[in-house]
Every structure is written in C-alpha cells, then in structure tokens.
Amino acid sequence: MSTATEQQHWPGPLSAAVARLCTGLQPQVCERTAAGFAEVLRRLSAPLQVAVAGRIKSGKSTLVNALIGRRVAPTDVGECTRLVTRFQYGTVDRVEVVFHDGAKQAVPFDSDGGIPADLGVDIDTVSHLEAYLTNAVLRDLTVIDTPGLGSLDAASVARTEELLGTRQEAADSELDPVSRNAVAGAEAVLYVVTQGVRADDEHALAAFTAATASREAGPVNAIAVLNKADTIEPGSVEGAGGDVWKAASLLAEKQAQLLKPRVADVLPVIGLLAETAESGAFTAADAEALRGLAKLDEATRETMLMSADLFTTWECDVPAGTRSRLLERMDLYGIRCALEAIDAEPDITAGALRRRLRDASGLASVLGRLDTVFRARADGIKAAAALASVTALAHASGDPGERQRVHDAIEVLLAKPEAHQLRVLEALTLVAAGAVAMPPDLTEEVMRVGSSNDVAEQLGLPGRSRQELTDYALERANWWRSFSSFGATPAQSRIAHVVHRAYFLIWQQLRSG
Ligand SMILES: Nc1nc2c(ncn2[C@@H]2O[C@H](COP(=O)(O)OP(=O)(O)OP(=O)(O)O)[C@@H](O)[C@H]2O)c(=O)[nH]1
Ligand SMILES: [Mg+2]
C-alpha cells in the first residue's frame, strides 16, 4: 500500500527521509505539534525558499527582478519596498495582498507588468504579498524579497522575522504563533551588501538567523553578493589598476574574509545592469540612442560620462529624456560599457549589446553559484531546515515525553548511512556558526570537505593524481577518527565522526571509481 508520503514529490532522498520521520511521528505527538509537522511536510514538497536580504536600498528588489528576468518588484520608492513579497511559480501571473487577518485581495499589475508601488490599501493591515509568476526560474526556487534591514535594533529584526514568518500557508494552516515561527522563514539567503561591509553588516547577517526563524545561516545556505559594483571608485582600491571590475572583485574577496564562514561566497555584481539586460527593459531604441552617443567626439563623451548631472544636462543631439532613461536603466558604468562595445563593433545589434551588458553585470557567476550552492543541494538544505523545525516544534510543545520521542526519532534517522549528507550539513553549520569551536585549520578543513561535490576540491588537492587523492583521503580519515576518540571535546567529537565518515566515503569512491 502506498502512503501519502510516497506519493509526494520530495526534492530528494534526504527530504523524503525527513518526511517519513514526520508522518511516523504525527500519531505520537499532540495535536498542535502534529499540525506543525503537517506544515513541515507541506514546505518540504515546495521549492527551495530563498530570501534576498540586506540593508535598505542595497538593491535587493533590483536583483530579484534580475533573477526572475522581469521588472516586477518595485524598486526605489513606494510602500511595497517595506513589505515582504514572495515570488513563486504559478500557471497564471497574479499578485495577492495578504492581510494580517488572513484575508486576501488580488491587485492588478501596473501598465509595465510590475507590482504597483502603491497598493491602495491600508499598509498597516498588510502581512505580505504573494506573487505567482509563470517564469521558469521559479519552478525550483521561491524568491522572497524582504524590506531592508535599516537599523539593527531588536525591533527591526523582530519585524523582519515576523513578516517572513506570517506567510500565507502558515496563516492558512491556523497554526498558533509559536508553531508558526518554528516552521516559518526562508531556507536559504542571498545576502546583498554594498561597498564597505562594516561590523554591523556582520550583525545583519546574524540577524538572518532571526529571519529564518529556526535555521542558522552558514556556508550551506547563504551566499552574499557585493552589489552596485559599478559605483566603486577603482582609485580607492589598491591593486585595482583603475579597473572597476577588478576593484569590485578585490573588495568582494576582502568582504569574504569578514563574512566567511557565515556565507559560502561573496560575488561582485551589478544588479541594475543585470535587471536591465534580463528583463527586456533594454530596447532597440536604447541601442539606437547609445549609437548616437557613440558618435560624439571623444572630449564631449568623456565630459558627459563624468557625472550623472553632466550626462543629462550637457548639450547634445540625443534628447535629454532619452539620456535620463539610459541613466536610470544602466547608470554611467553601463553606458560606458555599451559605448565601448559600439566603438569596437559599430554594427553591433541591440540583442548583442544586451548580451554584453549581461556579461558586464556579473549575473552569470551569481546564477552559477545559486546552482551549485542552492539548487544542487536543495534536498539537503530543505531536509536540514525541516529537521530544525521539527526539533523546534517538539521543544515548543512543553511535553518532555514528546520531546524525547522526537529527539530519539531524529537520532535514529541521523544514524542511518543514507543520512550522512544531512550530518555533514549540520556539522558545517555548527562549525560555521561557532556553535562548536574548532581550531582555524580544522574549521577550514570541515568547510572544504562539506562545501563541494568535487572530490579533488573537497580534499584541497586540485589537479593531483587519483593515487595521491586516495592516499590522502585515507590519511585524513584515520586522523579524524583518532581525533574523535582522543583529542576532541564531546561536541568536537561528534563533528569529527562526521568528517571521518566523509573522508572514508571519499576514499571508498576513489578506490572503486
Ligand atoms: N548604480 C547602481 N544602482 C543600483 C544597482 N542596483 C540597484 N541600484 C539602484 O539602487 C536603488 C535601490 O534599489 P532597490 O532594488 O529598490 O533596493 P532595495 O534594497 O530593494 O531597497 P529597499 O527595499 O527600499 O530596502 C534603485 O535606484 C536602483 O536602481 C546597481 O547595481 N548599480
Ligand atoms: Mg526593495
């Protein structure tokens, strides 16, 4: 007989195992916890939930539009920038306002196909927005646009947490607030920073933990982008040689030092240019206007490109309104890129020019990382998030017997060989968050082994022969085994077991493959 669990489409074997755990436990827990488990099951079968988070005006919504490939999230002004909007896959494009009392109201798109900047409803009564779009990217990622973390006081963190927490399905399922909190929140985060991460941005990243309600952010489920790379003054970055992109890459590396291991990576990006290139906002008329600008003599052109003001006010044949539009869509750096592309290839088509802008935006690398960090590991990320929710629900129940039953069931699950990857993710998160202290070199090794699917990368020996890799894997497997028995604290020992096993499996794979 096939159960409901087997009929569902889970993202993979780990999620399926956690789903079985939930269904198995449901009859053994109180009604409230069981309702929470039902919610966990529902979330497990949904696409990975990725929150785009960061400071006010860091370009979150712009980046969301670039990812979706449509200018749909309002940017810059309007009350919607203060709301959480969930973009998910749907067969018909529509947007709904969800009120605090659970009521919903459809809102029409504006004439450009975007969510209107002002909704015409009392914003204080609104919980969040749900946008259903036909865009294919949303089939396996639900993208959550969040309001900027402006101040890092507890109140603003709590607000984001609550906003992310009071999502539609949680509200639908009539969970009490405690249970809702335990299952709410994003499963992964794309953290947007701009030039100069300061200490409080690290705090903001820690605040993501609050936003995700029950999950720690870590290299498993967090990526950062250094947005607005085009606005970096290359002269201010040593070693950039006056090159904007080089400067951005160097800064991103520096920020990675600060933010790792809380995030898997920091990638430079120009969200605005990515949005323009991906959303169809770049038109043949824009290309024509740029061609007009490319014909200007060198001195005029350079003068105009010195500032936004000069660009729009300088006397020239291309109408000022057209120039303002270009500026708004591409900013000066994007315009310069386009002009250089036209210089090199005067007959370049609008389509080819658009592709050049996309290349210049750095979006491809971001999408690549989203694939390898989030999409490829969605099963593990979702399963780990679900386990965290299950644990939180059991704790919230206040019944020690129930807590113990849930705890035992999780232990049984984690002890199974097929749950190894789940333990690796858990170990990574614990070490990255500093919950288990490790010497720096061992921390690095845990990160390396757990953060890749490529054996040579996991071993930190790219380009070595199979024999060398095999020998090294065995050596490290043995080292971690003895560390787990002799050198480690109990918490470290648990991690060491997992790392030992990871090396052992690598060794086995190398020997047989
Ligand atoms: N030059 C430049 N401007 C950008 C870039 N990305 C976004 N912007 C501009 O920055 C402003 C803010 O962008 P939003 O996407 O609204 O930022 P946000 O983080 O969603 O803002 P809030 O939701 O209000 O916190 C807009 O004017 C964007 O056009 C970029 O890569 N380069
Ligand atoms: Mg916004």
Side-chain angles (χ1 to χ4, degrees), residues 322-349:
T322 307
R323 282 182 267 158
S324 296
R325 179 186 145 90
L326 289 175
L327 195 63
E328 195 185 301
R329 296 289 153 97
M330 307 168 66
D331 216 341
L332 288 173
Y333 178 83
I335 293 168
R336 186 184 285 278
C337 285
L339 294 182
E340 280 166 7
I342 295 169
D343 290 344
E345 194 185 335
D347 295 330
I348 190 168
T349 63

PDB file of all heavy atoms in Angstrom, residues 322-349:
ATOM      1  N   THR A 322      15.731  60.854 -23.171  1.00  0.00           N
ATOM      2  CA  THR A 322      16.292  59.553 -23.543  1.00  0.00           C
ATOM      3  C   THR A 322      17.515  59.243 -22.693  1.00  0.00           C
ATOM      4  O   THR A 322      17.707  58.117 -22.232  1.00  0.00           O
ATOM      5  CB  THR A 322      16.694  59.565 -25.032  1.00  0.00           C
ATOM      6  OG1 THR A 322      15.572  60.000 -25.783  1.00  0.00           O
ATOM      7  CG2 THR A 322      17.140  58.205 -25.503  1.00  0.00           C
ATOM      8  N   ARG A 323      18.311  60.288 -22.491  1.00  0.00           N
ATOM      9  CA  ARG A 323      19.520  60.092 -21.697  1.00  0.00           C
ATOM     10  C   ARG A 323      19.168  59.746 -20.246  1.00  0.00           C
ATOM     11  O   ARG A 323      19.807  58.892 -19.632  1.00  0.00           O
ATOM     12  CB  ARG A 323      20.392  61.351 -21.740  1.00  0.00           C
ATOM     13  CG  ARG A 323      21.177  61.464 -23.030  1.00  0.00           C
ATOM     14  CD  ARG A 323      22.053  62.686 -23.013  1.00  0.00           C
ATOM     15  NE  ARG A 323      21.391  63.844 -23.618  1.00  0.00           N
ATOM     16  CZ  ARG A 323      21.735  65.108 -23.371  1.00  0.00           C
ATOM     17  NH1 ARG A 323      22.689  65.385 -22.499  1.00  0.00           N
ATOM     18  NH2 ARG A 323      21.113  66.094 -23.988  1.00  0.00           N
ATOM     19  N   SER A 324      18.145  60.402 -19.719  1.00  0.00           N
ATOM     20  CA  SER A 324      17.737  60.102 -18.339  1.00  0.00           C
ATOM     21  C   SER A 324      17.321  58.648 -18.225  1.00  0.00           C
ATOM     22  O   SER A 324      17.619  57.961 -17.239  1.00  0.00           O
ATOM     23  CB  SER A 324      16.545  60.963 -17.909  1.00  0.00           C
ATOM     24  OG  SER A 324      16.919  62.293 -17.891  1.00  0.00           O
ATOM     25  N   ARG A 325      16.612  58.199 -19.254  1.00  0.00           N
ATOM     26  CA  ARG A 325      16.150  56.813 -19.231  1.00  0.00           C
ATOM     27  C   ARG A 325      17.353  55.854 -19.229  1.00  0.00           C
ATOM     28  O   ARG A 325      17.404  54.894 -18.463  1.00  0.00           O
ATOM     29  CB  ARG A 325      15.254  56.563 -20.452  1.00  0.00           C
ATOM     30  CG  ARG A 325      14.750  55.144 -20.530  1.00  0.00           C
ATOM     31  CD  ARG A 325      13.994  54.867 -21.818  1.00  0.00           C
ATOM     32  NE  ARG A 325      14.237  53.498 -22.248  1.00  0.00           N
ATOM     33  CZ  ARG A 325      13.482  52.456 -21.888  1.00  0.00           C
ATOM     34  NH1 ARG A 325      12.435  52.639 -21.127  1.00  0.00           N
ATOM     35  NH2 ARG A 325      13.787  51.234 -22.296  1.00  0.00           N
ATOM     36  N   LEU A 326      18.317  56.138 -20.102  1.00  0.00           N
ATOM     37  CA  LEU A 326      19.520  55.296 -20.150  1.00  0.00           C
ATOM     38  C   LEU A 326      20.218  55.281 -18.792  1.00  0.00           C
ATOM     39  O   LEU A 326      20.650  54.234 -18.306  1.00  0.00           O
ATOM     40  CB  LEU A 326      20.495  55.801 -21.215  1.00  0.00           C
ATOM     41  CG  LEU A 326      20.103  55.609 -22.674  1.00  0.00           C
ATOM     42  CD1 LEU A 326      21.139  56.275 -23.588  1.00  0.00           C
ATOM     43  CD2 LEU A 326      19.986  54.118 -23.015  1.00  0.00           C
ATOM     44  N   LEU A 327      20.296  56.450 -18.194  1.00  0.00           N
ATOM     45  CA  LEU A 327      20.975  56.578 -16.908  1.00  0.00           C
ATOM     46  C   LEU A 327      20.269  55.743 -15.851  1.00  0.00           C
ATOM     47  O   LEU A 327      20.895  55.029 -15.069  1.00  0.00           O
ATOM     48  CB  LEU A 327      20.994  58.046 -16.488  1.00  0.00           C
ATOM     49  CG  LEU A 327      21.948  58.428 -15.377  1.00  0.00           C
ATOM     50  CD1 LEU A 327      23.393  58.189 -15.796  1.00  0.00           C
ATOM     51  CD2 LEU A 327      21.741  59.893 -14.997  1.00  0.00           C
ATOM     52  N   GLU A 328      18.950  55.820 -15.879  1.00  0.00           N
ATOM     53  CA  GLU A 328      18.157  55.092 -14.902  1.00  0.00           C
ATOM     54  C   GLU A 328      18.306  53.580 -15.083  1.00  0.00           C
ATOM     55  O   GLU A 328      18.336  52.828 -14.121  1.00  0.00           O
ATOM     56  CB  GLU A 328      16.701  55.493 -15.104  1.00  0.00           C
ATOM     57  CG  GLU A 328      15.770  55.130 -13.982  1.00  0.00           C
ATOM     58  CD  GLU A 328      14.347  55.469 -14.382  1.00  0.00           C
ATOM     59  OE1 GLU A 328      14.077  56.662 -14.678  1.00  0.00           O
ATOM     60  OE2 GLU A 328      13.542  54.529 -14.445  1.00  0.00           O
ATOM     61  N   ARG A 329      18.426  53.156 -16.337  1.00  0.00           N
ATOM     62  CA  ARG A 329      18.483  51.722 -16.613  1.00  0.00           C
ATOM     63  C   ARG A 329      19.886  51.133 -16.497  1.00  0.00           C
ATOM     64  O   ARG A 329      20.051  49.946 -16.309  1.00  0.00           O
ATOM     65  CB  ARG A 329      17.979  51.437 -18.045  1.00  0.00           C
ATOM     66  CG  ARG A 329      16.541  51.777 -18.274  1.00  0.00           C
ATOM     67  CD  ARG A 329      15.665  50.783 -17.529  1.00  0.00           C
ATOM     68  NE  ARG A 329      14.378  51.347 -17.182  1.00  0.00           N
ATOM     69  CZ  ARG A 329      13.276  51.183 -17.875  1.00  0.00           C
ATOM     70  NH1 ARG A 329      13.297  50.477 -18.953  1.00  0.00           N
ATOM     71  NH2 ARG A 329      12.148  51.719 -17.467  1.00  0.00           N
ATOM     72  N   MET A 330      20.907  51.976 -16.725  1.00  0.00           N
ATOM     73  CA  MET A 330      22.258  51.408 -16.864  1.00  0.00           C
ATOM     74  C   MET A 330      23.305  52.076 -15.989  1.00  0.00           C
ATOM     75  O   MET A 330      24.374  51.526 -15.774  1.00  0.00           O
ATOM     76  CB  MET A 330      22.714  51.541 -18.325  1.00  0.00           C
ATOM     77  CG  MET A 330      21.730  50.963 -19.310  1.00  0.00           C
ATOM     78  SD  MET A 330      22.100  51.428 -21.002  1.00  0.00           S
ATOM     79  CE  MET A 330      23.638  50.582 -21.226  1.00  0.00           C
ATOM     80  N   ASP A 331      22.999  53.258 -15.545  1.00  0.00           N
ATOM     81  CA  ASP A 331      23.956  54.104 -14.839  1.00  0.00           C
ATOM     82  C   ASP A 331      25.192  54.344 -15.722  1.00  0.00           C
ATOM     83  O   ASP A 331      25.325  53.778 -16.805  1.00  0.00           O
ATOM     84  CB  ASP A 331      24.327  53.512 -13.478  1.00  0.00           C
ATOM     85  CG  ASP A 331      24.535  54.609 -12.441  1.00  0.00           C
ATOM     86  OD1 ASP A 331      24.755  55.774 -12.855  1.00  0.00           O
ATOM     87  OD2 ASP A 331      24.489  54.320 -11.233  1.00  0.00           O
ATOM     88  N   LEU A 332      26.076  55.202 -15.257  1.00  0.00           N
ATOM     89  CA  LEU A 332      27.177  55.656 -16.120  1.00  0.00           C
ATOM     90  C   LEU A 332      28.092  54.513 -16.552  1.00  0.00           C
ATOM     91  O   LEU A 332      28.527  54.441 -17.697  1.00  0.00           O
ATOM     92  CB  LEU A 332      27.996  56.729 -15.390  1.00  0.00           C
ATOM     93  CG  LEU A 332      27.295  58.081 -15.248  1.00  0.00           C
ATOM     94  CD1 LEU A 332      28.120  59.011 -14.359  1.00  0.00           C
ATOM     95  CD2 LEU A 332      27.054  58.720 -16.617  1.00  0.00           C
ATOM     96  N   TYR A 333      28.341  53.591 -15.628  1.00  0.00           N
ATOM     97  CA  TYR A 333      29.247  52.491 -15.957  1.00  0.00           C
ATOM     98  C   TYR A 333      28.679  51.637 -17.084  1.00  0.00           C
ATOM     99  O   TYR A 333      29.393  51.268 -18.027  1.00  0.00           O
ATOM    100  CB  TYR A 333      29.494  51.642 -14.708  1.00  0.00           C
ATOM    101  CG  TYR A 333      30.381  50.450 -14.953  1.00  0.00           C
ATOM    102  CD1 TYR A 333      31.776  50.585 -14.953  1.00  0.00           C
ATOM    103  CD2 TYR A 333      29.829  49.185 -15.192  1.00  0.00           C
ATOM    104  CE1 TYR A 333      32.593  49.484 -15.170  1.00  0.00           C
ATOM    105  CE2 TYR A 333      30.646  48.086 -15.413  1.00  0.00           C
ATOM    106  CZ  TYR A 333      32.017  48.240 -15.401  1.00  0.00           C
ATOM    107  OH  TYR A 333      32.823  47.161 -15.627  1.00  0.00           O
ATOM    108  N   GLY A 334      27.390  51.343 -17.000  1.00  0.00           N
ATOM    109  CA  GLY A 334      26.741  50.536 -18.036  1.00  0.00           C
ATOM    110  C   GLY A 334      26.757  51.255 -19.378  1.00  0.00           C
ATOM    111  O   GLY A 334      26.974  50.626 -20.428  1.00  0.00           O
ATOM    112  N   ILE A 335      26.540  52.558 -19.343  1.00  0.00           N
ATOM    113  CA  ILE A 335      26.562  53.334 -20.578  1.00  0.00           C
ATOM    114  C   ILE A 335      27.961  53.296 -21.192  1.00  0.00           C
ATOM    115  O   ILE A 335      28.137  53.083 -22.388  1.00  0.00           O
ATOM    116  CB  ILE A 335      26.108  54.790 -20.298  1.00  0.00           C
ATOM    117  CG1 ILE A 335      24.623  54.790 -19.904  1.00  0.00           C
ATOM    118  CG2 ILE A 335      26.349  55.680 -21.517  1.00  0.00           C
ATOM    119  CD1 ILE A 335      24.125  56.089 -19.322  1.00  0.00           C
ATOM    120  N   ARG A 336      28.951  53.446 -20.331  1.00  0.00           N
ATOM    121  CA  ARG A 336      30.329  53.392 -20.825  1.00  0.00           C
ATOM    122  C   ARG A 336      30.631  52.020 -21.451  1.00  0.00           C
ATOM    123  O   ARG A 336      31.223  51.949 -22.539  1.00  0.00           O
ATOM    124  CB  ARG A 336      31.306  53.690 -19.684  1.00  0.00           C
ATOM    125  CG  ARG A 336      32.749  53.785 -20.133  1.00  0.00           C
ATOM    126  CD  ARG A 336      33.689  53.978 -18.961  1.00  0.00           C
ATOM    127  NE  ARG A 336      33.660  55.327 -18.410  1.00  0.00           N
ATOM    128  CZ  ARG A 336      34.341  56.357 -18.916  1.00  0.00           C
ATOM    129  NH1 ARG A 336      35.070  56.185 -19.994  1.00  0.00           N
ATOM    130  NH2 ARG A 336      34.289  57.533 -18.362  1.00  0.00           N
ATOM    131  N   CYS A 337      30.191  50.976 -20.797  1.00  0.00           N
ATOM    132  CA  CYS A 337      30.391  49.634 -21.357  1.00  0.00           C
ATOM    133  C   CYS A 337      29.768  49.526 -22.746  1.00  0.00           C
ATOM    134  O   CYS A 337      30.381  48.998 -23.682  1.00  0.00           O
ATOM    135  CB  CYS A 337      29.732  48.568 -20.487  1.00  0.00           C
ATOM    136  SG  CYS A 337      30.609  48.194 -18.987  1.00  0.00           S
ATOM    137  N   ALA A 338      28.550  50.021 -22.856  1.00  0.00           N
ATOM    138  CA  ALA A 338      27.844  49.938 -24.131  1.00  0.00           C
ATOM    139  C   ALA A 338      28.571  50.750 -25.202  1.00  0.00           C
ATOM    140  O   ALA A 338      28.736  50.283 -26.342  1.00  0.00           O
ATOM    141  CB  ALA A 338      26.415  50.438 -23.968  1.00  0.00           C
ATOM    142  N   LEU A 339      29.024  51.942 -24.848  1.00  0.00           N
ATOM    143  CA  LEU A 339      29.718  52.780 -25.830  1.00  0.00           C
ATOM    144  C   LEU A 339      31.008  52.101 -26.301  1.00  0.00           C
ATOM    145  O   LEU A 339      31.342  52.139 -27.488  1.00  0.00           O
ATOM    146  CB  LEU A 339      30.012  54.167 -25.239  1.00  0.00           C
ATOM    147  CG  LEU A 339      28.776  55.018 -24.924  1.00  0.00           C
ATOM    148  CD1 LEU A 339      29.180  56.395 -24.397  1.00  0.00           C
ATOM    149  CD2 LEU A 339      27.872  55.171 -26.155  1.00  0.00           C
ATOM    150  N   GLU A 340      31.691  51.475 -25.369  1.00  0.00           N
ATOM    151  CA  GLU A 340      32.928  50.784 -25.753  1.00  0.00           C
ATOM    152  C   GLU A 340      32.629  49.603 -26.681  1.00  0.00           C
ATOM    153  O   GLU A 340      33.384  49.330 -27.618  1.00  0.00           O
ATOM    154  CB  GLU A 340      33.682  50.316 -24.504  1.00  0.00           C
ATOM    155  CG  GLU A 340      34.463  51.467 -23.870  1.00  0.00           C
ATOM    156  CD  GLU A 340      34.961  51.164 -22.457  1.00  0.00           C
ATOM    157  OE1 GLU A 340      34.814  50.010 -21.999  1.00  0.00           O
ATOM    158  OE2 GLU A 340      35.488  52.098 -21.816  1.00  0.00           O
ATOM    159  N   ALA A 341      31.522  48.931 -26.406  1.00  0.00           N
ATOM    160  CA  ALA A 341      31.138  47.812 -27.282  1.00  0.00           C
ATOM    161  C   ALA A 341      30.806  48.314 -28.680  1.00  0.00           C
ATOM    162  O   ALA A 341      31.147  47.680 -29.685  1.00  0.00           O
ATOM    163  CB  ALA A 341      29.960  47.063 -26.684  1.00  0.00           C
ATOM    164  N   ILE A 342      30.164  49.473 -28.768  1.00  0.00           N
ATOM    165  CA  ILE A 342      29.819  50.055 -30.074  1.00  0.00           C
ATOM    166  C   ILE A 342      31.092  50.521 -30.792  1.00  0.00           C
ATOM    167  O   ILE A 342      31.247  50.328 -32.002  1.00  0.00           O
ATOM    168  CB  ILE A 342      28.814  51.214 -29.913  1.00  0.00           C
ATOM    169  CG1 ILE A 342      27.482  50.670 -29.373  1.00  0.00           C
ATOM    170  CG2 ILE A 342      28.588  51.930 -31.246  1.00  0.00           C
ATOM    171  CD1 ILE A 342      26.509  51.735 -28.916  1.00  0.00           C
ATOM    172  N   ASP A 343      32.019  51.129 -30.044  1.00  0.00           N
ATOM    173  CA  ASP A 343      33.307  51.540 -30.639  1.00  0.00           C
ATOM    174  C   ASP A 343      33.975  50.353 -31.318  1.00  0.00           C
ATOM    175  O   ASP A 343      34.482  50.449 -32.437  1.00  0.00           O
ATOM    176  CB  ASP A 343      34.280  52.051 -29.558  1.00  0.00           C
ATOM    177  CG  ASP A 343      33.839  53.392 -28.984  1.00  0.00           C
ATOM    178  OD1 ASP A 343      32.982  54.049 -29.613  1.00  0.00           O
ATOM    179  OD2 ASP A 343      34.345  53.768 -27.909  1.00  0.00           O
ATOM    180  N   ALA A 344      33.982  49.225 -30.598  1.00  0.00           N
ATOM    181  CA  ALA A 344      34.689  48.049 -31.094  1.00  0.00           C
ATOM    182  C   ALA A 344      33.953  47.406 -32.257  1.00  0.00           C
ATOM    183  O   ALA A 344      34.556  46.772 -33.114  1.00  0.00           O
ATOM    184  CB  ALA A 344      34.874  47.043 -29.965  1.00  0.00           C
ATOM    185  N   GLU A 345      32.635  47.569 -32.278  1.00  0.00           N
ATOM    186  CA  GLU A 345      31.837  46.896 -33.285  1.00  0.00           C
ATOM    187  C   GLU A 345      30.634  47.783 -33.629  1.00  0.00           C
ATOM    188  O   GLU A 345      29.532  47.567 -33.125  1.00  0.00           O
ATOM    189  CB  GLU A 345      31.367  45.541 -32.698  1.00  0.00           C
ATOM    190  CG  GLU A 345      30.828  44.585 -33.714  1.00  0.00           C
ATOM    191  CD  GLU A 345      30.282  43.320 -33.027  1.00  0.00           C
ATOM    192  OE1 GLU A 345      30.731  42.995 -31.909  1.00  0.00           O
ATOM    193  OE2 GLU A 345      29.378  42.697 -33.619  1.00  0.00           O
ATOM    194  N   PRO A 346      30.855  48.759 -34.507  1.00  0.00           N
ATOM    195  CA  PRO A 346      29.826  49.779 -34.753  1.00  0.00           C
ATOM    196  C   PRO A 346      28.475  49.198 -35.187  1.00  0.00           C
ATOM    197  O   PRO A 346      27.438  49.798 -34.914  1.00  0.00           O
ATOM    198  CB  PRO A 346      30.433  50.630 -35.871  1.00  0.00           C
ATOM    199  CG  PRO A 346      31.902  50.437 -35.733  1.00  0.00           C
ATOM    200  CD  PRO A 346      32.093  49.034 -35.249  1.00  0.00           C
ATOM    201  N   ASP A 347      28.475  48.024 -35.842  1.00  0.00           N
ATOM    202  CA  ASP A 347      27.205  47.467 -36.318  1.00  0.00           C
ATOM    203  C   ASP A 347      26.560  46.516 -35.316  1.00  0.00           C
ATOM    204  O   ASP A 347      25.650  45.767 -35.672  1.00  0.00           O
ATOM    205  CB  ASP A 347      27.424  46.707 -37.636  1.00  0.00           C
ATOM    206  CG  ASP A 347      27.852  47.661 -38.734  1.00  0.00           C
ATOM    207  OD1 ASP A 347      27.432  48.835 -38.666  1.00  0.00           O
ATOM    208  OD2 ASP A 347      28.621  47.241 -39.618  1.00  0.00           O
ATOM    209  N   ILE A 348      27.040  46.511 -34.115  1.00  0.00           N
ATOM    210  CA  ILE A 348      26.532  45.548 -33.126  1.00  0.00           C
ATOM    211  C   ILE A 348      25.012  45.695 -32.989  1.00  0.00           C
ATOM    212  O   ILE A 348      24.466  46.806 -32.971  1.00  0.00           O
ATOM    213  CB  ILE A 348      27.250  45.751 -31.769  1.00  0.00           C
ATOM    214  CG1 ILE A 348      26.922  44.614 -30.813  1.00  0.00           C
ATOM    215  CG2 ILE A 348      26.894  47.098 -31.129  1.00  0.00           C
ATOM    216  CD1 ILE A 348      27.825  44.593 -29.579  1.00  0.00           C
ATOM    217  N   THR A 349      24.326  44.556 -32.935  1.00  0.00           N
ATOM    218  CA  THR A 349      22.858  44.597 -32.843  1.00  0.00           C
ATOM    219  C   THR A 349      22.433  44.909 -31.408  1.00  0.00           C
ATOM    220  O   THR A 349      23.219  44.759 -30.469  1.00  0.00           O
ATOM    221  CB  THR A 349      22.240  43.232 -33.219  1.00  0.00           C
ATOM    222  OG1 THR A 349      22.700  42.260 -32.261  1.00  0.00           O
ATOM    223  CG2 THR A 349      22.639  42.813 -34.623  1.00  0.00           C
TER     224      THR A 349
END
